[in-house]
Amino acid sequence: MQIEVLRGRQGECREIRSLLAAPAGGALLLHGEPGAGRTALLAYAHRHRAGRRLLAAAGLADEAMLPYAGLQRLLDPVLDRAHALPERQRQVLRDALTGEGCPDRDQLILSHAVLGLLAEAAHDGPLLCTMDDLDAGDTPTVRVLTFVARRLPQLPVVLLLTAGNDTAAQAIPGRRLLPLDPSDSLALLTARRPGPPPPEPVLAALTTLAAGNPQALVDLADTLTPGQWCGTEPLPAAPPTDGTLGRTYRALLARLPRDTQGALLLAAIAAADLATPTGRAAAVDPVTLGRALRATGSGVEALVPAEAAGLIRITTPGGAEFPRPLARSMIEATASVTARRDAHLLLAAALDGTGSRLRRALHRAAATDGDDPALAAELEDAAAAHQDRSVAATALARAAELSDDPALATARQVTAARYAWQAGQPERAHALLHHLADTTGPLPHQAPPTPTGRSAASLPMTPPAPTGRSAPGLSMTPPSLAGRSAAGPQVTAATAGLAELLRGEMHLRCGRASTALPTLLAAATTLADVDRESALVALVRAGEAVCFSGDHYRYGEVARRVQALRRDGDPPWADLLTTLVAGVAATLRGEHAHGGPLLRRAVALGGRLRGAAVTPTALTGAAAAGLLVAVDAAAYRLAEDAVDLATDRGEVSLLPRALELRAMSEYWLGRHDAAAKSCQEGLRVARAAGQHATAGVHLGLLAVLSAVRADHDACLGHVAELGDTAAPGSRPYALAQWALGVLDLVDGRYADAADRLATLARPGTGRGQVLVQVMATPHLVEAAAHDGRPARARAALAVFDRWAGSTASPLRRALSARCHALLAPRGSAEAEEHFDRALCLHPADAATFERARTELLYGRELRRNRRPRDARDHLHRARQTFVLLGADVWARQTTVELRAAGESVGTPDRQAVRLLTGQQLRIAQLVAAGATNREVATQMFLSTRTIDHHLRNIYHRLGIRSRTELARALG
C-alpha cells in the first residue's frame, strides 16, 4: 500500500503512524506558526487511524472564556459511558461540563474522571483523540488534557494536540513544525498550480516570500496572476491578506487587546526598517519603538499578550524581535490602511533628531498619498549615502512614485532597479524595470543637452561611499537630478540606455551570455552620445560576455568601439578599463608583445587608484589583467580588495566575479584549498543572488580544483551539479571538460584526456574557450605525450609558449619547459635539459604542487630510462610535497613509482594507524615523509612546541624512539 505523506512533513507523518500503530497509548503536541500544517497533520491522522474510534474537537476563541467548553465538545460522544465512573468523579465531571464549574480542590478528581471516561470508551476499541488549536480555547481544558496526556501509556488511547507554541501543554512530547526547505517549497508550489512551472528566479522569490510556510505557498500559488507566475509582472510583497493564512492572522490578532494590536503593528513596521536575512529573527530598534509607544501612552509591556501568542519575543529592556519573519509581514499586511498610516507617522516622529534620515523619510513616504517632489528628493538624497542597497532600492522606488516629473520618476525607477540588482535581488530589479516599461512605454534613444548644460556622464552615477563620491559610471545608476528640472528627452535617453545596460548585465550573470551581448552593445550605442562613461562600462561588460560565451572573434568589435570612446584626460578608472580592453584584444589576437605592456599598465593603474576611483569594477578589471600577464600576487591583492570593497558597500552583484578572480589567483599561486574556499563562497553568493551563469563558473572551477587533487567523487559531483545548464563553448562547459580531462589523465585514460582537452578551443577561428585551453595546456601536453600522439598538443603548446614567454612568471615558464620535456624524444638529453630547466624555474615558495608534479614526471621519465637511482631523488621530493599538501592520490602514485625504482616503501601499519588520533596521524605522516618539525608546524598552523608535544605522544603510543622507526611503522 502506498503511504500518503504531506509535502515536507514526512517525519511528522511517520511519528503519527508510529503512535497509531503502537498497542500502548501516547500523546504528541504539534506546534508551529499559523499555516505550518498543524490542522493538515490532524486530518492525516484521522485518515490513518486504522480502526480507532475518533474523538475530535478544536479550541475556539469565542469559547475561550467558557471553562471546559473544549473538553465538553471533545468528550460529548462518549459521555454516555460516564455511568461507569465512581460517583464522586461522575458528579465532578457533570458539574464541570454543564457550566457549574470545578473548584481547585476538585481539579485532580476531574482529571481522573476524564482519564477514566477515556478508559471506559476504549473498552470498545482503541481511541484517537485530537484537539486542534489547543491554545485558542479555554485554559481549564488545556490543563485537564495536559494531565491526561502524561498518563496515557497504559491505555489504548492516542491524544494529538496542536498549538502555536509548546508552552500550551508542557511536559508532554512535542514536535515543532519547521519551515519547509527550498526543495519542498518549490515542489508544493508547482504541484499546487499545474502547467508550466515559473522561471527559477520567480520560484526562488516565492519561496523566500513564504518563508517555508505551506499555507503561504498555497495562497500565493492560488492568487498569482499569469503574469506574476511567468515573471513578467511584479510579485506581491506578502501572501494575500484575503487568503486562508491572512484570515487566520486576522482572527489571531483580533483576540489581542487593542493596545497590544497597536503596539504589535508599530513593532512590525519598525522591524521592517532593519534588513534581516531570510529565516532569522527580525529585530526591532528598541529606542525607536520605545519613543513611538510612549507617544501613544503605552509601553513595551503592551506586547506581553502578543508574546504569549507566539507572535513576538521581548528581548532586552525595551527591545523585541519577530522569531518568525512571516508573522511580521502578515501583521503589517493585514492591518488597515489607516492603522498603517498612523503607525508610520508615529515612527517618523520618533526618528526626528536621531540621524536616521532615510528611515524617517521612508516612514513619511509610506504615510503620503499623491505627489510630493520635496519628499522624493529627500528620499533620493538620503539613499545615496546608505550602504544597504536593498533599502536604497525601496527608497528610490518610492521616490519615483512621489515624483511629479515623468522623466525624473523614470530615472529614479532605474536607479531603484540598479540598487536591487546590487543587493542581490535580480527578480526585484526585473520587476522594477518591467514596471518602468509598463508606465512609460518605449523610451527614446536620442537626446539634446540636459537643461543644466551638463552631460549625463558628468552627473553622479553611484551613491557615494561615506568618505566621498564614487567614480562615475562604475555602478551605472542613472543621473541624480533631485532639485533640478529634469523635463527633456536627454534624461530619458540616458535613462533608457542605463536600463538596457542593467538588463544586459543581468542577462550576463543570470542567463546566457549570447543574449547579454546584443543588449549590452545596444546600451553602449544608446549611451555613447549622452553618457560616454557608462557606454564604456557597457562595452567592458560586453567583452566579458564575449569571453564567457567563447565567441572571441567578436572581441575585436568591442575593442574598436572602446577605442572610439577613449579621450585624453579620462579619469584613472576609465583609463584602466580602456587599457584593459585593448590589452585583452591584443592578447586574444596572439599579439603578446603589444598586449602584455597594456595589461601590465592596467594592473599598475589598479594599484594606484585612490579615493572615489577605487570601485569593485575597476579592481576586478585590474585583477583580470593581472591574471592575463601572470602577475598572480598582484592579481590576488586586487581581487581581494574588490571582494572587501564589494562586501563593505553591499554590492552583492559584484561579489561572485571578484571571488572568481581571487580563486583563479589562488590556483596559480598553488593555494588550492584557499581557491576552493573562494569558489564555495562565490557559489553560495551567486546562487543567493540569482546569478546562475556565474554560479556555473564557480562549479566548473571547483570541479577543476577537485580533479587536480584527484578527488574523483567531488569533481564528478560538481560536474553533475552543473548538469546541462552550461552551453557548449561557454566558460562553465569548458571548465567542466578540463576537469574531466584531468580525471582521465589521473586514471591513465590518456587518449580520452587528450581528445577532451584538445577541443576546448579552435585556434585560428576565434571560437571556444581560448583562455581556458591555455590554462589546461600542461595537462593536454602530458596526455598527448603519454598517448604517443604529441602532434595533438603542439599547436596548443605554441600558443602557451608565446603567452608564457611574454610574462615574467617563472611558474608559467617552468610549465612550458616541462611540456617541452614531455614532447622531447624519450631518454634524450633534450628532455633532461628541459626538465632541469623547469625545476630551476619553479618558484621555491609558491605553487609547490606543480613543482612536485614536475618532480614526479621527471622521476618517472628517469626510471623508465633505466636510471632508478637518479629517479629516486626526484620521486622522494615529490612524495614529501604531496604528503605535506594532503594530495593522497598523487602521493600514492609517487609511491608506486618509488617501488618500481627499487625503493622499499611500505604501506602503513593498520594497528599503528588505529592507535593515533586524526591530528596525530597527520603529524606522523608528515614527519615520516621527511618534514621537519618547523615545516609540519607551518603546514598545520600550529606552534613548533605543540608539534614537539604531539610527536612525543606519538612515539609513546607506538612504542618507538626515532623518525626512522616512525617511517617504518607508517610505511
Side-chain angles (χ1 to χ4, degrees):
M1 181 182 72
Q2 185 176 2
I3 298 177
E4 171 201 3
V5 294
L6 300 177
R7 184 78 63 181
R9 297 289 180 243
Q10 291 88 341
E12 290 81 359
C13 290
R14 281 195 299 270
E15 189 164 355
I16 289 172
R17 292 198 306 271
S18 177
L19 270 175
L20 293 172
L28 179 64
L29 172 67
L30 301 167
H31 57 94
E33 65 180 331
R38 302 179 325 223
T39 303
L41 284 167
L42 290 190
Y44 176 87
H46 294 172
R47 294 193 299 273
H48 293 79
R49 64 182 187 272
R52 288 178 179 267
R53 184 178 180 184
L54 177 63
L55 301 179
L60 300 178
D62 293 343
E63 299 181 358
M65 303 307 295
L66 302 177
Y68 307 108
L71 188 63
Q72 186 274 330
R73 282 183 284 103
L74 179 68
L75 298 179
D76 186 65
V78 294
L79 285 177
D80 59 335
R81 307 300 294 265
H83 64 83
L85 298 176
E87 176 62 27
R88 179 62 176 150
Q89 289 186 9
R90 187 168 64 250
Q91 182 64 39
V92 171
L93 178 63
R94 187 186 64 187
D95 290 346
L97 298 186
T98 57
E100 298 295 329
C102 180
D104 291 343
R105 65 178 182 274
D106 291 338
Q107 288 294 320
L108 184 60
I109 296 175
L110 174 63
S111 298
H112 276 289
V114 173
L115 193 62
L117 182 62
L118 293 175
E120 283 296 326
H123 286 162
D124 297 335
L127 296 178
L128 169 61
C129 304
T130 64
M131 177 65 78
D132 200 7
D133 294 331
L134 181 68
D135 51 346
D138 62 280
T139 302
T141 293
V142 175
R143 189 166 54 243
V144 172
L145 290 180
T146 302
F147 177 94
V148 170
R150 300 185 191 121
R151 291 161 175 81
L152 288 178
Q154 305 306 318
L155 298 176
V157 178
V158 170
L159 176 61
L160 296 181
L161 309 172
T162 73
N165 54 61
D166 59 355
T167 61
Q170 297 180 352
I172 64 172
R175 186 163 187 134
R176 181 187 169 202
L177 303 185
L178 298 173
L180 302 187
D181 62 30
S183 61
D184 282 323
S185 296
L186 298 183
L188 179 57
L189 272 173
T190 53
R192 183 72 182 184
R193 189 154 174 162
E200 190 171 341
V202 174
L203 283 174
L206 291 173
T207 302
T208 301
L209 188 62
N213 185 288
Q215 189 60 56
L217 290 164
V218 168
D219 290 350
L220 284 166
D222 290 346
T223 58
L224 290 181
T225 67
Q228 289 173 325
W229 186 253
C230 297
T232 58
E233 295 177 9
L235 292 173
T241 58
D242 57 350
T244 301
L245 186 63
R247 291 193 296 271
T248 301
Y249 267 100
R250 275 201 298 272
L252 178 60
L253 294 170
R255 297 200 294 267
L256 299 175
R258 292 190 64 84
D259 62 335
T260 299
Q261 294 179 34
L264 191 59
L265 179 58
L266 277 172
I269 294 177
D273 288 350
L274 308 176
T276 306
T278 302
R280 295 184 58 187
V284 183
D285 176 14
V287 175
T288 305
L289 179 62
R291 288 183 176 183
L293 287 173
R294 284 193 295 273
T296 66
S298 181
V300 74
E301 63 276 2
L303 292 171
V304 171
E307 184 177 35
L311 294 170
I312 197 169
R313 183 165 55 231
I314 299 174
T315 54
T316 56
E321 64 183 15
F322 288 89
R324 302 164 181 166
L326 182 62
R328 190 218 63 77
S329 62
M330 293 305 294
I331 290 165
E332 182 178 2
T334 54
S336 68
V337 174
T338 302
R340 288 200 301 268
R341 180 181 179 278
D342 293 343
H344 280 294
L345 290 174
L346 281 168
L347 290 167
L351 288 166
D352 278 340
T354 63
S356 301
R357 185 182 173 198
L358 181 58
R359 290 172 59 198
R360 178 179 176 276
L362 282 168
H363 284 302
R364 288 180 55 211
T368 300
D369 294 326
D371 296 339
D372 192 332
L375 181 54
E378 183 181 350
L379 279 168
E380 182 180 28
D381 192 42
H386 204 276
Q387 296 295 81
D388 189 321
R389 299 305 169 100
S390 179
V391 175
T394 300
L396 264 294
R398 185 66 182 124
E401 294 170 352
L402 295 172
S403 303
D404 61 351
D405 184 299
L408 190 50
T410 299
R412 286 167 173 163
Q413 188 85 357
V414 175
T415 304
R418 167 59 61 179
Y419 284 145
W421 165 244
Q422 290 173 343
Q425 300 169 342
E427 67 287 340
R428 186 180 179 193
H430 277 297
L432 288 164
L433 290 178
H434 177 82
H435 178 70
L436 176 69
D438 283 347
T439 55
T440 63
L443 297 176
H445 295 272
Q446 303 192 10
T450 60
T452 60
R454 299 166 63 190
S455 73
S458 70
L459 299 174
M461 300 293 292
T462 187
T467 55
R469 286 174 54 182
S470 299
L474 291 188
S475 287
M476 294 81 72
T477 52
S480 172
L481 300 174
R484 295 191 287 269
S485 172
Q490 171 93 8
V491 175
T492 304
T495 301
L498 291 168
E500 283 301 292
L501 174 52
L502 177 55
R503 289 189 183 96
E505 187 173 344
M506 289 193 289
H507 286 319
L508 171 61
R509 307 296 185 206
C510 303
R512 293 183 181 271
S514 57
T515 61
L517 183 59
T519 305
L520 290 165
L521 292 176
T525 300
T526 303
L527 292 166
D529 294 330
V530 295
D531 190 347
R532 183 177 61 87
E533 294 172 346
S534 292
L536 170 60
V537 176
L539 290 172
V540 170
R541 296 283 186 255
E544 291 181 25
V546 166
C547 293
F548 184 93
S549 61
D551 297 327
H552 292 100
Y553 68 94
R554 302 198 63 177
Y555 204 94
E557 176 190 354
V558 174
R560 287 190 295 274
R561 294 182 61 173
V562 167
Q563 183 61 33
L565 290 176
R566 190 168 192 163
R567 300 288 185 274
D568 292 336
D570 272 343
W573 68 266
D575 191 14
L576 185 160
L577 295 182
T578 54
T579 303
L580 166 69
V581 172
V584 171
T587 299
L588 291 175
R589 293 194 302 269
E591 299 172 2
H592 299 291
H594 177 55
L598 289 171
L599 293 170
R600 280 186 281 274
R601 182 170 181 270
V603 175
L605 286 170
R608 293 199 295 266
L609 292 174
R610 294 293 181 271
V614 183
T615 65
T617 297
L619 291 172
T620 52
L627 287 170
L628 287 172
V629 288
V631 284
D632 305 318
Y636 172 79
R637 287 193 299 271
L638 290 162
E640 176 75 355
D641 289 345
V643 169
D644 292 342
L645 188 58
T647 302
D648 291 343
R649 291 188 175 186
E651 296 189 34
V652 178
S653 62
L654 299 176
L655 263 177
R657 172 65 172 163
L659 287 163
E660 172 196 339
L661 294 169
R662 189 176 78 179
M664 292 300 303
S665 304
E666 290 164 333
Y667 169 81
W668 282 113
L669 290 169
R671 305 171 188 168
H672 292 177
D673 289 341
K677 289 179 181 177
S678 292
C679 286
Q680 287 161 357
E681 176 66 7
L683 178 62
R684 183 191 66 79
V685 175
R687 283 176 167 166
Q691 295 190 19
H692 310 297
T694 312
V697 174
H698 284 286
L699 279 172
L701 286 173
L702 283 169
V704 170
L705 290 165
S706 299
V708 167
R709 298 295 292 271
D711 187 340
H712 290 67
D713 292 342
C715 176
L716 294 175
H718 294 311
V719 172
E721 202 171 352
L722 190 58
D724 58 359
T725 59
S730 67
R731 187 182 301 149
Y733 181 85
L735 290 170
Q737 292 301 305
W738 179 15
L740 294 173
V742 173
L743 283 189
D744 289 336
L745 181 63
V746 170
D747 294 338
R749 297 187 296 271
Y750 302 120
D752 292 342
D755 290 342
R756 196 185 297 275
L757 296 174
T759 59
L760 296 179
R762 298 184 291 280
T765 67
R767 297 180 183 273
Q769 289 295 324
V770 176
L771 300 178
V772 175
Q773 186 169 68
V774 167
M775 295 172 65
T777 294
H779 296 121
L780 170 59
V781 169
E782 187 177 343
H786 283 299
D787 189 41
R789 296 184 294 170
R792 295 215 62 189
R794 293 195 186 280
L797 180 57
V799 175
F800 185 88
D801 284 343
R802 288 196 296 273
W803 172 62
S806 71
T807 73
S809 167
L811 172 61
R812 286 7 174 244
R813 296 186 179 195
L815 292 175
S816 173
R818 185 174 87 190
C819 290
H820 282 281
L822 291 170
L823 295 182
R826 177 166 293 175
S828 66
E830 179 187 356
E832 189 168 347
E833 179 183 346
H834 283 305
F835 270 124
D836 287 336
R837 175 171 170 74
L839 291 176
C840 288
L841 286 169
H842 270 298
D845 58 344
T848 53
F849 177 84
E850 289 299 338
R851 182 183 182 89
R853 290 272 293 119
T854 300
E855 296 270 23
L856 170 58
L857 291 168
Y858 195 5
R860 180 183 292 165
E861 176 73 10
L862 291 171
R863 179 190 65 76
R864 292 177 177 177
N865 292 323
R866 303 180 184 278
R867 295 171 58 186
R869 181 176 298 177
D870 295 334
R872 287 197 289 269
D873 289 339
H874 295 290
L875 294 172
H876 272 300
R877 286 193 291 270
R879 184 172 184 265
Q880 177 179 336
T881 300
F882 289 139
V883 171
L884 281 168
L885 295 175
D888 296 336
V889 174
W890 292 110
R892 287 197 295 271
Q893 286 197 8
T894 311
T895 299
V896 171
E897 290 292 334
L898 275 168
R899 288 176 185 152
E903 187 78 6
S904 177
V905 183
T907 56
D909 186 318
R910 293 185 179 276
Q911 180 62 28
V913 169
R914 283 196 295 269
L915 290 172
L916 301 179
T917 66
Q919 189 173 46
Q920 288 175 338
L921 179 60
R922 178 72 173 140
I923 293 171
Q925 289 173 332
L926 294 173
V927 171
T932 65
N933 287 13
R934 185 177 298 278
E935 288 171 335
V936 176
T938 301
Q939 173 70 17
M940 299 192 67
F941 302 100
L942 298 173
S943 68
T944 307
R945 178 178 297 180
T946 301
I947 298 301
D948 292 340
H949 171 74
H950 281 302
L951 200 54
R952 285 194 298 271
N953 288 337
I954 291 168
Y955 285 177
H956 176 72
R957 287 194 176 199
L958 300 183
I960 58 178
R961 297 184 178 181
S962 69
R963 290 172 179 254
T964 302
E965 291 180 86
L966 177 62
R968 290 198 193 101
L970 297 182

